Amino acid sequence: MDVMAHSTFEAGRCILGKLPHGKDLLRAVEDFCVQNSIQTGVFSVIGSVKSVTLGSCDQNQQVYVTWKKEEQLEIVNCAGNVSLRDGKVAVHAHAMLADINGQTIGGHIFSETIVFAGEIYLQELLGKPLEREYDHITGLPLWKI
Amino acid sequence: MDVMAHSTFEAGRCILGKLPHGKDLLRAVEDFCVQNSIQTGVFSVIGSVKSVTLGSCDQNQQVYVTWKKEEQLEIVNCAGNVSLRDGKVAVHAHAMLADINGQTIGGHIFSETIVFAGEIYLQELLGKPLEREYDHITGLPLWKI
Amino acid sequence: MDVMAHSTFEAGRCILGKLPHGKDLLRAVEDFCVQNSIQTGVFSVIGSVKSVTLGSCDQNQQVYVTWKKEEQLEIVNCAGNVSLRDGKVAVHAHAMLADINGQTIGGHIFSETIVFAGEIYLQELLGKPLEREYDHITGLPLWKI
């Protein structure tokens, strides 16, 4: 059995927040973490957006293919985490969205993704922060653990 | 940088539960919270339903468009929270479902949504409860924070 | 009001982990729990896979219909829990995936599902472990609570 690389934390603050209307989702989470000295955490968002930028990792080319959708969509779920990259707060999140007919799209979420309304649950994690670094196998900025 | 409106809580009970077969999903969660004096919390459900009622917020008309699907579906994920509205427990949840071929639909979940089987993880949050109130910008009952 | 069957736990370790590249997702989580003496918990994964095996419960026949997709896909969200079955660690998870165009599929996740990259948040739960047992109404291995 391979051992999964991991890091153990203690639970910090449990936060419920209201994402700001008309602002970028990732930026709002990132700014909040910077302002509140949160370096590590996990979060979940439900709500809706005015537009979204999603992407998918092209595993062969090792690049993200992104696209933007200018449409009102429900955030059926957005799951993400907070860690550090080059010493700065980095938010990584994936989201699943549904249109007015319930049809769904999903992927890695990018800026700009404009919030209509959003409710976030953020669990702060206390301990040695995780740093992201370039991973040569996947081409992704993965945790150095 | 705008500050995200938020409220901080302490972790309360961690609950794993079995949603009752043949009952309404939202009602089951709501009843459980009332019976166990849970006013604030977050939860996640996986399982399956016999039927589902989903909706999407029409941001321009500021109304929810809802539809019902009488079909057996997997609950790929249902993410929600518990807070108060008019002093009573109010459950807000979004869900993503998949049919027997893996095709997905999603949105804001409404009653009636009949559980076939469901496993819930509910994290109680302790602190000053959040109250929902009508928000004039979105037309939605958002948290007063 | 029916009372939802449930069990209450205390929060244990909070773990962030990097799922091993090229390995089976469920097996990686299961092995980790065995190695770290985790008998009860909940988790969430975001990342991507090289292939996935999904399934859906046929509620009438009481069997799982499964299918495999050999394609690079984003794990938009994978939500699961850890409990015991026949005294051994059993991982139950559902996943929503998106292809390079954002098109989504979802369902109950099975082995083999090969990880490209994956970030897991695992919340250990401390208390009397939950055992799964055959449920005659649904034909599923549900929690004995």
Side-chain angles (χ1 to χ4, degrees):
Chain A
M1 295 190 290
D2 278 2
V3 180
M4 180 175 78
H6 71 285
S7 199
T8 303
F9 299 86
E10 288 191 20
R13 286 167 281 181
C14 300
I15 293 157
L16 288 174
K18 190 161 65 170
L19 291 174
H21 178 81
K23 301 286 175 181
D24 180 60
L25 191 151
L26 290 180
R27 182 67 194 274
V29 177
E30 192 182 298
D31 286 353
F32 178 79
C33 290
V34 170
Q35 289 163 354
N36 290 276
S37 306
I38 295 172
Q39 294 185 308
T40 315
V42 288
F43 64 91
S44 168
V45 176
I46 57 174
S48 53
V49 294
K50 294 179 178 190
S51 67
V52 67
T53 305
L54 289 177
S56 187
C57 170
D58 182 326
Q59 296 175 11
N60 300 317
Q61 304 293 328
Q62 302 205 335
V63 291
Y64 273 98
V65 179
T66 66
W67 65 95
K68 192 169 183 175
K69 202 155 177 134
E70 299 272 4
E71 184 183 348
Q72 56 179 53
L73 296 160
E74 295 288 300
I75 304 170
V76 181
N77 192 245
C78 169
N81 57 54
V82 179
S83 56
L84 300 180
R85 190 174 177 184
D86 301 326
K88 291 181 184 163
V89 166
V91 173
H92 175 206
H94 284 198
M96 206 278 271
L97 303 114
D99 69 14
I100 204 104
N101 301 308
Q103 296 306 300
T104 57
I105 54 170
H108 183 111
I109 195 167
F110 287 88
S111 294
E112 190 172 72
T113 291
I114 302 300
V115 172
F116 179 73
E119 295 173 355
I120 187 171
Y121 173 62
L122 171 60
Q123 170 70 66
E124 180 189 25
L125 296 172
L126 301 172
K128 187 171 179 293
L130 287 182
E131 270 281 351
R132 291 188 178 279
E133 64 172 1
Y134 182 79
D135 172 67
H136 289 277
I137 295 170
T138 60
L140 296 170
L142 302 185
W143 290 327
K144 190 179 172 180
I145 40 179
Chain B
M1 296 189 291
D2 277 4
V3 179
M4 180 175 79
H6 70 285
S7 198
T8 303
F9 298 87
E10 288 193 19
R13 286 167 281 182
C14 301
I15 294 157
L16 288 174
K18 191 161 64 171
L19 291 174
H21 178 81
K23 301 286 174 181
D24 180 60
L25 192 151
L26 290 180
R27 181 69 193 273
V29 177
E30 192 182 298
D31 286 353
F32 179 79
C33 290
V34 170
Q35 288 163 357
N36 290 277
S37 307
I38 296 172
Q39 294 185 306
T40 315
V42 288
F43 64 91
S44 168
V45 176
I46 56 174
S48 53
V49 294
K50 295 178 176 190
S51 67
V52 66
T53 306
L54 288 176
S56 189
C57 170
D58 182 326
Q59 296 175 11
N60 300 318
Q61 303 293 328
Q62 301 205 336
V63 291
Y64 272 98
V65 178
T66 66
W67 64 94
K68 192 169 183 175
K69 202 154 177 135
E70 299 272 5
E71 184 184 346
Q72 57 178 52
L73 296 160
E74 294 289 300
I75 303 171
V76 181
N77 191 245
C78 170
N81 57 54
V82 178
S83 56
L84 300 181
R85 190 175 176 182
D86 300 326
K88 292 181 183 165
V89 166
V91 173
H92 176 207
H94 285 198
M96 206 277 271
L97 303 114
D99 69 14
I100 204 102
N101 301 308
Q103 296 307 300
T104 57
I105 54 169
H108 184 111
I109 196 167
F110 287 88
S111 295
E112 185 172 75
T113 291
I114 302 299
V115 173
F116 179 73
E119 294 173 356
I120 188 171
Y121 174 62
L122 171 60
Q123 170 70 66
E124 180 189 25
L125 296 172
L126 301 173
K128 186 170 180 294
L130 288 181
E131 270 280 351
R132 291 187 178 279
E133 65 171 2
Y134 181 78
D135 173 67
H136 289 276
I137 295 170
T138 60
L140 296 170
L142 302 184
W143 291 327
K144 189 180 173 180
I145 40 179
Chain C
M1 295 190 291
D2 277 4
V3 180
M4 180 175 78
H6 71 284
S7 198
T8 304
F9 299 86
E10 287 192 20
R13 285 167 282 182
C14 301
I15 294 157
L16 288 174
K18 191 160 65 170
L19 291 174
H21 178 80
K23 301 286 176 181
D24 180 60
L25 191 151
L26 290 179
R27 181 68 194 274
V29 177
E30 191 182 299
D31 285 354
F32 178 79
C33 290
V34 169
Q35 288 164 355
N36 291 276
S37 306
I38 295 172
Q39 294 186 307
T40 315
V42 287
F43 64 91
S44 168
V45 176
I46 56 175
S48 53
V49 295
K50 295 179 177 189
S51 67
V52 67
T53 306
L54 288 177
S56 188
C57 171
D58 182 326
Q59 295 175 12
N60 301 318
Q61 303 293 328
Q62 302 205 336
V63 291
Y64 272 98
V65 178
T66 66
W67 65 93
K68 191 168 182 176
K69 202 155 176 134
E70 299 272 4
E71 184 183 349
Q72 57 180 52
L73 296 160
E74 295 288 300
I75 304 170
V76 181
N77 191 246
C78 170
N81 57 54
V82 179
S83 55
L84 300 180
R85 189 175 177 183
D86 301 327
K88 291 181 184 164
V89 166
V91 173
H92 176 206
H94 284 198
M96 206 276 272
L97 303 113
D99 69 15
I100 205 102
N101 300 309
Q103 296 306 301
T104 56
I105 53 170
H108 183 111
I109 195 167
F110 287 88
S111 295
E112 179 172 83
T113 292
I114 301 300
V115 173
F116 180 72
E119 295 174 354
I120 188 171
Y121 174 61
L122 171 59
Q123 170 70 66
E124 180 189 26
L125 296 172
L126 301 173
K128 188 170 180 291
L130 287 181
E131 271 280 349
R132 291 188 178 279
E133 65 172 1
Y134 181 79
D135 172 68
H136 289 276
I137 295 170
T138 59
L140 296 170
L142 302 184
W143 290 328
K144 189 180 172 180
I145 40 179

